Amino acid sequence: MKSRLTAGLIRHRASMSKWIHGPHMLAFLPALSLAGFWLGGEMALIAVALGLPAAYALFSDGAGVRDPGGPLPDLVDTAAAQDLAEQVMTQAHDANLATACFLVEAEGLDSVARRAGDDSAQVLRDVMLARLRAVIRRNDRAVRVGDARFMVLLSPSLRLDLEALLTLASRMQRGLEEPAQTETGTHYLSAAIGFCGSTRLRGQSGGARLLEAAQAALSEALANGPSAIRAWSESMRAERKARKTLLSEVERALAKGQIQPWFQPQLCTSTGQISGVEALARWLHPERGIVPPAEFLDALEDAGQMDRLSEVVLQYSLTALRGWDEAGVEIPRVSANFSDVELRSPQLIERIKWELDRFAMPASRLGVEVLETVIAESPEGVVARNIVGLSQLGCQIDLDDFGTGHASITALRRFTVNRLKIDRSFVTRVDRDEEQRRMLAAVLGLADRLGLETVAEGVESVAEHALLSQLGCDHVQGFGIARPMPADRLADWARAHAERIAAAQNIGRGTG
């Protein structure tokens, strides 16, 4: 009985709040007070005096439902966002009009918070909300629903077709992406937008359904690069269901050991010998075969499983390294990618040290690959301390995708980077494009002056390999050399490669 009463109060909270806060209460209060005193005396009058403020407090919570015509708070929670969406959907249905929900994600606020502090990030949140409210109509509603997410609900209108909604989304985006000034400088943010108009939903859909559709559209926008705008469509429903299925499936795969690292060799351009291998996660699906990382890494990140993936890759990599040693296969080092999430763990150094001790491996045989964007955006804090700590432990620090994250020379020194992994965008067509060649030569010259080794990724032809060697690149890897492979196949490949190197060294030698 009690649970049914609670559910009823929650379900009808919006209408009860509207009734309690309505203007008719000004006339009703004196009558209620007199009736209480007439029927029950002083005790009844006291009950009315205490009960009404309690009812006002219950139905006017700061995150709860507001009078549709009243002022909104700047920040609301998920339940309040759904209530607001339900209000406009009800109004639209009753008037036989249309409405729409826009969700806006401010991309770059997290990096501002890391670089300039939370105060600057909060100033930018306030600026973006003010800009949104300046773009929309007086009766439309805009609130913040997360650290970097905003919601806009349009008041019911006669004409809200797809073209009109796209035009409004573009206007919002242009306003939000204007440079914003704070005490810490000028900031440039991008805005991804997903939206859904009520006319695109089938049947008598409610506010929760409208909000869910806008969230699906925003997810699609975020997956398609910065500043993307996406409108909800029925096909997204199937894609969203497939993504949820993938999410649960990939978590089980990680627990069952179906996700393991494969290894891609890196060759020294001076000797031709294997200078190391990079560990790359692969999903060995029992039905679909080999699933590439592009299809499951995002799902693992959404599930908060990137830490667990890194643990699995490290354990398999050290196991493989020990197995190659026992088999007499010379693999000097294995490199593993360390995600931003893992580098934020305060226990990272101790965990790596424990794993190395467990496998009796010196730290020098473990390479730690860190994205250039991570170093560029994390000059201080836990990430910086972990990278420096891993270097002091003896691990080699490789700066991955160099040329894409704008890390300063000072940062390269502070983080004790050992090698630059040159992004494949610098390598592609380097044997045929003179401008590309000059750019790559400049990068290699900078690395040489800084005393850093270089690894070129994405080498796909003999010509690229030869030119990189001539330009002074220290190491190369890519499909033109070898594709990633399991540990046992890499051992066979390494033996065959060593035989080819030995045979090449004997060419031209006479018997006398």
Side-chain angles (χ1 to χ4, degrees), residues 354-370:
W354 184 85
E355 290 286 358
L356 290 169
D357 290 344
R358 187 162 71 95
F359 285 90
M361 287 287 171
S364 58
R365 299 193 67 185
L366 175 63
V368 175
E369 295 197 4
V370 181

Side-chain angles (χ1 to χ4, degrees), residues 13 16 28 309 369 499:
R13 179 173 178 170
M16 294 175 71
F28 186 65
L309 175 64
E369 295 197 4
E499 291 174 0

